[in-house]
């Protein structure tokens, strides 16, 4: 079968899939406290998600990242992981992974490891229980730490993703780094994106550019840029004194489009070909219109043919950024 190649000769090998818009946390930079979630009929069923993802795998997608909302609160989620693990067994899929807030890991880490998941990303912005409760609104730190412990015990490699927030976790830069080193976790910082209009106005005060964070790190450590590229918006350095690898994700920086190998699918079956542009293709209609996978495949190919060369936005374009944040909470950031 012809692999998915976009008009700029980039092979699409990475699909990020949101399996739900629901979450058991209400992180202040991500969701408002009183969210209205999508009606159930709009969501793809687990069977539909299976069919869609399997079609993508058949077209050359080798890495699937499952996200949300919070993916592990989706009812029956293990059935879906089990369905995807058959593609690991055939070798068609090289990696099945997820991004989670960690709250359900105590229960799910071992079954996920048994199904072939090897690495996970856990979002964790602070190691202070009071600050954790404040930023997540509904989350409890010990539950997440227990989950991370369970992941480690199950043999999962953990990468901690921390959103950099000025005046919030600035003072934890080195303690987070030390904790990750002691626990053997990788660490990546995410630059906070301006939020949608329905969220707290405090946000611009909290913007902590990663170049400033990096400069702070460099005051204490020697940082060596690593050539490693994932096709996504992350850049990595090695901390020479500890040997740790630290990542920086600047979601709004126009620095990775040339190598972009990814597309995102929302839990309602919308395919976004680029994080920074609004164009999307509805895959739910062709999925529901016909049991024939050829129809779906045709819709996917038509969407990939529209993948733009790149995006170019900045913080002055609040409207676009707001849309991206809303998009993130539906597609998993
Ligand atoms: N619930 C899962 C989790 O917590 O990882 C997956 C979905 S969550 C939307 C994915 C990632 O997006 C998390 O690391 C979260 O911190 C990040 N995120 C959400 N809103 C953000 C924002 N406004 N700016 C930067 N990162 C954000």
């Amino acid at each position: 079968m012809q692999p998915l190649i976009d008009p700029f000769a980039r092979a699409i090998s990475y699909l990020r899939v949101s399996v739900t818009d629901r979450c058991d946390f209400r992180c202040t930079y991500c969701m408002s406290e009183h969210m209205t979630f999508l009606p159930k009929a709009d969501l793809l069923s687990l069977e539909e998600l299976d069919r869609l993802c399997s079609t993508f795998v058949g077209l050359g997608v080798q890495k699937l990242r499952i996200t949300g909302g919070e993916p592990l609160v989706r009812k029956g989620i293990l059935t879906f992981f089990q369905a995807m693990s058959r593609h690991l067994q055939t070798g068609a899929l090289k990696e099945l992974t997820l991004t989670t807030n960690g709250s359900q890991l105590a229960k799910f880490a071992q079954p996920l490891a048994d199904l072939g998941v090897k690495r996970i990303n856990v979002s964790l912005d602070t190691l202070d229980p009071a600050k954790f409760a404040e930023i997540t609104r509904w989350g409890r730190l010990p539950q997440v730490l227990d989950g991370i412990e369970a992941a480690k015990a199950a043999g999962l490699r953990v990468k901690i993703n921390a959103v950099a927030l000025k005046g919030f976790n600035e003072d934890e830069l080195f303690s987070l780094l030390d904790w990750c080193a002691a626990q053997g976790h990788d660490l990546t910082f995410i630059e906070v994106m301006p939020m949608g209009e329905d969220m707290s106005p405090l946000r611009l005060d909290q913007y902590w550019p990663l170049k400033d964070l990096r400069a702070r790190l460099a005051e204490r450590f020697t940082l060596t840029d690593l050539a490693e590229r994932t096709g996504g918006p992350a850049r990595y350095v090695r901390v020479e004194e500890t040997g740790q690898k630290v990542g920086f994700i600047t979601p709004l920086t126009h620095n990775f489009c040339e190598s972009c190998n990814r597309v995102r699918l929302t839990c309602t079956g919308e395919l976004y070909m680029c994080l920074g542009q609004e164009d999307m293709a509805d895959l739910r209609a062709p999925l529901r219109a016909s049991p024939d996978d050829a129809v779906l495949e045709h819709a996917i190919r038509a969407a990939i043919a529209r993948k733009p060369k790149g995006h170019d936005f900045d913080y002055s374009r609040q409207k676009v950024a707001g849309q991206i944040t809303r998009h993130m909470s539906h597609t998993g950031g």
Side-chain angles (χ1 to χ4, degrees), residues 5-21:
I5 310 282
D6 78 2
F8 305 95
R10 296 167 299 192
I12 306 306
S13 58
Y14 180 145
L15 177 65
R16 193 171 177 122
V17 186
S18 170
V19 294
T20 179
D21 60 332

Side-chain angles (χ1 to χ4, degrees), residues 95-154:
E95 189 172 16
L96 175 60
T97 183
L98 72 149
T99 296
T100 173
N101 65 25
S103 69
Q104 309 302 313
L105 277 176
K107 178 171 164 203
F108 287 117
Q110 189 61 56
L112 287 169
D114 293 344
L115 290 170
V117 174
K118 299 225 172 331
R119 301 189 301 166
I120 60 172
N121 288 354
V122 181
S123 305
L124 177 64
D125 305 328
T126 172
L127 290 168
D128 177 307
K131 279 160 72 179
F132 187 86
E134 179 194 331
I135 198 85
T136 63
R137 291 200 187 100
W138 295 0
R140 294 293 165 263
L141 182 65
Q143 187 179 339
V144 169
L145 294 181
D146 285 352
I148 294 173
E149 203 52 51
K152 204 170 140 182

Side-chain angles (χ1 to χ4, degrees), residues 166-225:
K166 205 180 188 67
F168 178 76
N169 57 9
E170 253 181 301
D171 57 338
E172 288 188 76
L173 178 59
F174 295 105
S175 48
L176 265 169
L177 198 77
D178 289 348
W179 179 76
C180 286
Q183 297 291 320
H185 306 321
D186 290 327
L187 174 62
T188 288
F189 292 100
I190 307 180
E191 195 163 81
V192 73
M193 296 201 268
M195 46 176 115
E197 59 275 7
D198 56 342
M199 297 186 205
S200 149
L202 282 175
R203 240 324 248 311
L204 280 179
D205 300 357
Q206 296 191 320
Y207 178 55
W208 185 16
L210 289 195
K211 67 173 185 5
D212 295 358
L213 184 154
R214 186 190 155 125
R216 187 89 60 86
L217 270 183
E219 286 168 12
R220 200 176 294 183
F221 294 115
T222 317
L223 308 180
T224 307
D225 283 307

